Amino acid sequence: MNTKNTPKLRFPECREERQFKSLNKLAKKKLEKNKTKIDLPVLTNSATKGIVIQNEYFDKNIVNFESTDVYYIVDINDFIYNPRISNSAPVGPIKRNKLVKGLMSPLYTIFKLENIDTNFIEKYFDTSYWHKYIIHISNIGARHDRMNITDSDFFNLPIPFPETNEQKKIASLFTAIDEKISALQNKVELLKKYKKGVMQKIFSQKIRFKDENGKDYPKWEKKSIEDIFERITEKNKENNKNVLTISAQHGLINQEDFFNKSVAAKDLTNYYLLHKGDFAYNKSYSNGYPMGAIKKLNKYDKGIVSTLYICFRTKQNYSQDFFEQYFNTGLQNREIEKIAQEGARNHGLLNISVVDFFKSIFLQVPSYKEQKIIADFLTKIDDKIVLEERKLEQAKLFKKSLLQQMFV
């Protein structure tokens, strides 16, 4: 390949025009199969996580270990192309194995680089520049979720080939950025783990707060949902069009923002109208929410939800923020499970009546003053988590921008 291009951003001392070489000049395909049935972990190539151990990633074995003799043996620093298409990998991901020696499905293409900086090429495959070539040479496979590419076409993939010093400089720069991103990710995870542990101790009352005089607050009391909240049945007479849905990550969020389309009825007048601070319970069960999800409206001043949701707001002398934290613990699930009829789930919905929800679900509730202290304490941790998540997102965007400018 004699193509020459110059990226937008370069190190001052790097002035040579950038050349390209085809992948077959820089790599060899790995063909060694597990004929002797070596006891190695089966790996998979995740678009978001990179190379991972399959049974840990999927929480189960999805491979027949009697048939792994057709699997490829993958070494550390080998590269793996997974032709499976996803939102985060529109032509499938190419990832470097930095985990362990293992086995890979024969559906993957595995290769080992030669005569080029491995870290440099790893960063190149983090860009989307090589996608255009893959799209040009491929067809969508029979399963409609895989790229169908011949080996010869794949290994003709053009690879940027700057002089060695520039390869190393680029690799070093992005390695430092990746280390920063990893540190921020660890910080976010540690904060979330810390909050989870603290919440468990607070809501089990192993940790108690003191009043301004250093005395204990009153004992927590057992109260029903009906004692604490009033049901919302106000319909959407004002023709509000902010249709909300419950997301595990985002809480009550605009339906079109979440689904990229509206799945609401044309007539919205029969929907419940919520105000900021109101709660909605979605009886639909999903991963992480075996008894459905209860979320507080935080993002908008008003919004509307389907009448399939049970909606409610706190009465006087009960803290919205405290009960938002309470419901995030999932402690209410044990109470909901008592009234949810196990064999009567309809299309993913738990069979729970409104009357039972309000009268038969009980929560352990501290005094109003202690509610406020607990909510303020946990909210400060949330604010710290959000701050670090923003830093993480900014670091990722910075890396993405640099990648697009330093490669062509």
Side-chain angles (χ1 to χ4, degrees):
M1 293 260 175
N2 296 317
T3 307
K4 295 183 179 181
N5 285 293
T6 302
K8 292 180 181 179
L9 188 63
R10 300 185 79 181
F11 293 99
E13 62 273 26
C14 301
R15 299 183 181 277
E16 292 184 8
E17 285 190 276
R18 187 166 296 175
Q19 298 185 3
F20 281 75
K21 291 189 177 183
S22 59
L23 183 59
N24 59 29
K25 298 288 197 310
L26 302 170
K28 287 186 177 179
K29 184 179 180 183
K30 297 290 291 285
L31 296 170
E32 183 185 3
K33 293 193 175 180
N34 187 32
K35 295 293 185 183
T36 57
K37 296 191 177 181
I38 305 170
D39 185 16
L40 292 171
V42 175
L43 308 176
T44 196
N45 184 353
S46 160
T48 55
K49 302 288 186 182
I51 307 304
V52 293
I53 295 175
Q54 193 176 79
N55 62 3
E56 292 178 3
Y57 183 67
F58 292 107
D59 290 325
K60 61 180 179 180
N61 288 323
I62 59 174
V63 145
N64 179 0
F65 283 91
E66 294 300 315
S67 63
T68 56
D69 57 330
V70 298
Y71 276 48
Y72 291 118
I73 295 176
V74 183
D75 293 305
I76 295 290
N77 290 325
D78 286 349
F79 283 77
I80 298 96
Y81 173 54
N82 178 1
R84 191 173 187 276
I85 301 165
S86 66
N87 288 336
S88 52
V91 299
I94 297 177
K95 298 292 183 180
R96 174 183 171 190
N97 178 27
K98 296 188 282 188
L99 192 62
V100 292
K101 185 172 182 175
L103 305 177
M104 275 284 194
S105 164
L107 293 172
Y108 295 163
T109 300
I110 301 158
F111 57 94
K112 183 178 182 63
L113 288 171
E114 299 176 338
N115 304 318
I116 192 166
D117 189 281
T118 306
N119 292 321
F120 169 77
I121 291 302
E122 181 182 18
K123 305 314 172 191
Y124 177 67
F125 289 135
D126 283 343
T127 75
S128 60
Y129 283 118
W130 56 279
H131 292 187
K132 186 177 180 180
Y133 173 81
I134 297 294
I135 292 168
H136 175 70
I137 63 168
S138 66
N139 298 306
I140 302 297
R143 287 181 49 180
H144 304 291
D145 65 348
R146 295 183 185 276
M147 306 300 284
N148 186 17
I149 305 170
T150 65
D151 274 357
S152 59
D153 282 339
F154 178 79
F155 280 96
N156 273 326
L157 172 67
I159 299 293
F161 193 77
E163 51 93 18
T164 302
N165 185 51
E166 188 174 7
Q167 291 179 32
K168 292 187 179 300
K169 282 182 173 292
I170 292 172
S172 178
L173 171 64
F174 284 105
T175 297
I177 294 171
D178 284 341
E179 287 172 356
K180 176 66 174 176
I181 289 172
S182 180
L184 287 169
Q185 286 174 328
N186 288 338
K187 193 169 185 179
V188 169
E189 292 306 313
L190 286 171
L191 280 168
K192 288 180 177 179
K193 187 176 180 180
Y194 167 71
K195 185 193 173 188
K196 184 178 179 180
V198 168
M199 287 177 77
Q200 288 174 343
K201 291 181 180 179
I202 287 174
F203 288 101
S204 64
Q205 300 177 59
K206 291 179 180 178
I207 292 177
R208 292 292 306 276
F209 292 88
K210 306 283 186 181
D211 65 17
E212 59 272 15
N213 298 316
K215 294 182 179 179
D216 291 336
Y217 284 105
K219 289 183 178 181
W220 292 27
E221 297 180 7
K222 187 176 182 180
K223 297 191 176 185
S224 69
I225 295 280
E226 185 178 54
D227 294 331
I228 306 163
F229 302 95
E230 59 184 29
R231 187 185 175 198
I232 297 170
T233 57
E234 181 185 359
K235 296 296 179 68
N236 181 29
K237 300 304 181 186
E238 64 181 46
N239 198 29
N240 188 299
K241 296 186 185 301
N242 185 23
V243 183
L244 307 176
T245 193
I246 285 183
S247 153
Q249 183 178 358
H250 303 290
L252 279 160
I253 187 170
N254 178 275
Q255 197 177 78
E256 290 189 26
D257 290 344
F258 186 68
F259 293 113
N260 293 320
K261 64 179 180 179
S262 174
V263 294
K266 290 184 179 179
D267 181 6
L268 302 176
T269 57
N270 199 43
Y271 279 50
Y272 291 139
L273 180 66
L274 300 182
H275 297 260
K276 198 167 194 175
D278 291 344
F279 291 84
Y281 170 47
N282 182 0
K283 294 185 286 183
S284 240
Y285 54 92
S286 60
N287 288 339
Y289 290 90
M291 292 293 124
I294 299 174
K295 296 293 181 180
K296 179 163 75 78
L297 179 56
N298 292 320
K299 293 181 180 293
Y300 320 98
D301 290 329
K302 291 182 182 180
I304 58 173
V305 295
S306 163
T307 52
L308 290 172
Y309 288 7
I310 298 175
C311 303
F312 48 96
R313 63 173 57 103
T314 51
K315 294 179 179 179
Q316 191 172 2
N317 291 330
Y318 291 99
S319 165
Q320 297 172 347
D321 294 334
F322 170 81
F323 285 101
E324 179 179 26
Q325 298 287 352
Y326 191 107
F327 292 136
N328 283 341
T329 67
L331 286 171
Q332 71 279 3
N333 287 348
R334 287 175 290 186
E335 291 290 307
I336 294 173
E337 193 170 15
K338 293 176 185 177
I339 62 170
Q341 295 182 31
E342 188 60 34
R345 297 179 177 183
N346 181 25
H347 302 295
L349 290 177
L350 295 163
N351 186 23
I352 300 169
S353 73
V354 173
V355 172
D356 282 343
F357 180 81
F358 280 92
K359 290 184 177 295
S360 302
I361 293 175
F362 292 88
L363 313 177
Q364 291 291 332
V365 183
S367 67
Y368 180 66
K369 286 186 177 180
E370 192 173 3
Q371 289 174 37
K372 294 286 288 180
I373 288 175
I374 291 170
D376 289 345
F377 175 74
L378 294 175
T379 298
K380 285 178 182 176
I381 301 176
D382 286 336
D383 291 342
K384 180 65 174 173
I385 291 171
V386 169
L387 177 64
E388 296 303 323
E389 285 178 331
R390 284 176 183 163
K391 290 180 183 178
L392 175 60
E393 187 59 29
Q394 288 169 354
K396 288 179 176 179
L397 289 173
F398 175 67
K399 176 187 173 182
K400 183 177 180 180
S401 175
L402 275 185
L403 282 168
Q404 292 303 109
Q405 293 182 77
M406 297 194 79
F407 288 95
V408 289

